[in-house]
Amino acid sequence: MEKTVLVVTDAWHPQVNGVVRTLDELARSLKEQGIAIHFLTPERFATFPLPFYSDIRLALPMRRQVASEIDAVAPDFIHIATEGPLGLVARGICLRRGLPFTTSYHTRFPEFVSARLPIPESWSYWWLRQFHNSGNGMMVATASLGTEMAAHGFHNIKRWTRGIDTTLFDPARRQDLPFPRPIFLNVGRVAVEKNLPAFLDLDLPGSKLVVGDGPDLAGLRQRYPDVHFLGKRLGTELAAIYASADVFVFPSRVDTFGNVILEALASGCPVAAFPVTAPKDILGDGGGVLSADLRQAALDALTLSREDARQKALTFSWSECARQFLSNLAGVPRSAFAGRGRNLRPAA
């Protein structure tokens, strides 16, 4: 029989981030394997803007409606991808009904909150432990993140890697850009947790490019008039920028993975980063330079082989991402949905 997976996620289109990209690719890979995947997302509910990120809207879910949607799918597996309003309501329903479910940890919520509000990280970690430890496994993208979360008191931690589209992100897209070389690039959300000033303050030759949108964009444009802020770029246009840069600089200290690192590597662009969780998992054995001195790392990365960077990216695949995801799931007894089940709209 065809297996059915229900993924509950507060992160969804039109957001552009690693969570949404991962779920899109997961859906494609699972469909290729004959697995039916359904998403329960904010687009099915009234929404409100997320404080600090007005362009991100969170759902206002009613418990009865979420329960009805779960019954409609009658899934073999339930995965709660985020800790937002939808994730919280779905978790509560699963616990009350005794339905097994898994979760995933994508965003350093404690650091995100404490960067904006006077709330100790320890409070947020306590809340997150209640959320994730109540399920049948919490998926994390890297080994070092798993070790770190275990030290914070999380248990039943499972690995769930990421992949990369090596057809879209390709060194062959390299072209001349209208900026002095060498070109140092950053791509991602322009927000406080990305630690962009650690890159933008560096004394580097050539040009600095930033691709992306976010709440800090206007302020950083004013603060750094010599930096080229290109705004949001997607698809082949983004891929060409990656391939045309000389070094990708990743100043974040709190990302749980960093899909943009793989996008840069696949484009033949070496990476400079701090030796922290995510970069050290990906770049520990090649493809970039890790150093507490980010300026020196960026300069040293100029000497690295672009072909070696590409080869590093080829060790990651979305099919392996899907395989790990499936192996981590907890099965829901078919008796839990006896007599129920009409299909929700499947993944596109």
Side-chain angles (χ1 to χ4, degrees):
M1 291 181 61
E2 181 183 72
K3 295 294 184 181
T4 301
V5 179
L6 174 64
V7 176
V8 182
T9 177
D10 295 273
W12 197 242
H13 300 285
Q15 297 177 36
V16 179
N17 55 44
V19 180
V20 176
R21 187 177 308 118
T22 297
L23 295 178
D24 277 343
E25 293 294 340
L26 176 68
R28 181 184 58 78
S29 294
L30 292 185
K31 287 174 68 177
E32 290 175 353
Q33 298 178 44
I35 307 293
I37 182 168
H38 302 262
F39 291 105
L40 184 52
T41 76
E43 65 185 356
R44 303 181 71 83
F45 303 89
T47 61
F48 66 95
L50 176 67
F52 311 111
Y53 285 103
S54 59
D55 56 331
I56 296 178
R57 303 191 65 84
L58 297 179
L60 288 168
M62 299 295 291
R63 191 183 72 84
R64 179 177 297 179
Q65 184 180 357
V66 174
S68 176
E69 301 286 15
I70 293 174
D71 289 340
V73 177
D76 297 287
F77 309 99
I78 299 172
H79 180 73
I80 302 175
T82 55
E83 308 96 337
L86 264 177
L88 282 168
V89 172
R91 169 186 173 273
I93 292 169
C94 289
L95 290 176
R96 277 188 289 272
R97 292 186 177 183
L99 301 177
F101 66 95
T102 53
T103 64
S104 49
Y105 185 71
H106 294 278
T107 303
R108 291 182 183 272
F109 182 73
E111 289 80 0
F112 179 95
V113 172
S114 65
R116 294 164 172 80
L117 299 170
I119 297 178
E121 291 180 11
S122 59
W123 294 9
S124 298
Y125 274 113
W126 176 87
W127 180 82
L128 285 171
R129 281 194 297 272
Q130 313 315 304
F131 184 93
H132 290 285
N133 285 349
S134 62
N136 297 78
M138 178 182 76
M139 303 186 200
V140 299
T142 69
S144 65
L145 180 60
T147 300
E148 183 181 332
M149 298 306 287
H152 280 296
F154 294 78
H155 56 68
N156 202 7
I157 297 169
K158 303 174 182 290
R159 282 288 307 282
W160 180 24
T161 190
R162 300 294 183 264
I164 182 64
D165 183 345
T166 55
T167 300
L168 174 61
F169 298 101
D170 188 329
R173 297 186 187 277
R174 189 172 176 84
Q175 57 189 239
D176 290 331
L177 295 179
F179 310 107
R181 290 192 181 275
I183 293 173
F184 297 91
L185 172 69
N186 177 270
V187 176
R189 190 168 60 249
V190 183
V192 62
E193 68 274 8
K194 297 301 183 179
N195 196 29
L196 280 173
F199 164 45
L200 303 181
D201 285 334
L202 297 179
D203 180 14
L204 294 171
S207 306
K208 297 172 187 170
L209 272 60
V210 173
V211 174
D213 199 358
D216 287 5
L217 180 58
L220 290 179
R221 271 183 168 149
Q222 183 174 15
R223 181 176 168 186
Y224 298 98
D226 294 332
V227 174
H228 304 279
F229 292 90
L230 305 184
K232 183 188 297 185
R233 303 295 175 94
L234 301 172
T236 56
E237 185 181 20
L238 173 61
I241 294 173
Y242 272 119
S244 304
D246 297 299
V247 172
F248 184 82
V249 183
F250 187 78
S252 174
R253 293 179 177 272
V254 299
D255 272 53
T256 58
F257 187 78
N259 293 62
V260 291
I261 295 177
L262 290 188
E263 292 173 356
L265 293 175
S267 304
C269 185
V271 178
F274 290 116
V276 296
T277 295
K280 69 182 182 183
D281 290 276
I282 301 172
L283 303 169
D285 57 355
V289 179
L290 300 173
S291 176
D293 184 342
L294 191 60
R295 177 181 181 274
Q296 193 59 52
L299 293 173
D300 290 346
L302 285 170
T303 67
L304 296 184
S305 163
R306 297 182 69 85
E307 178 58 29
D308 287 350
R310 170 73 173 181
Q311 289 303 313
K312 179 65 178 178
L314 294 177
T315 64
F316 292 83
S317 72
W318 287 117
S319 60
E320 175 61 15
C321 168
R323 188 200 66 77
Q324 284 190 5
F325 178 80
L326 285 174
S327 70
N328 292 337
L329 296 176
V332 178
R334 301 309 307 151
S335 58
F337 300 108
R340 299 169 175 174
R342 59 176 174 78
N343 277 336
L344 266 179
R345 184 178 53 208

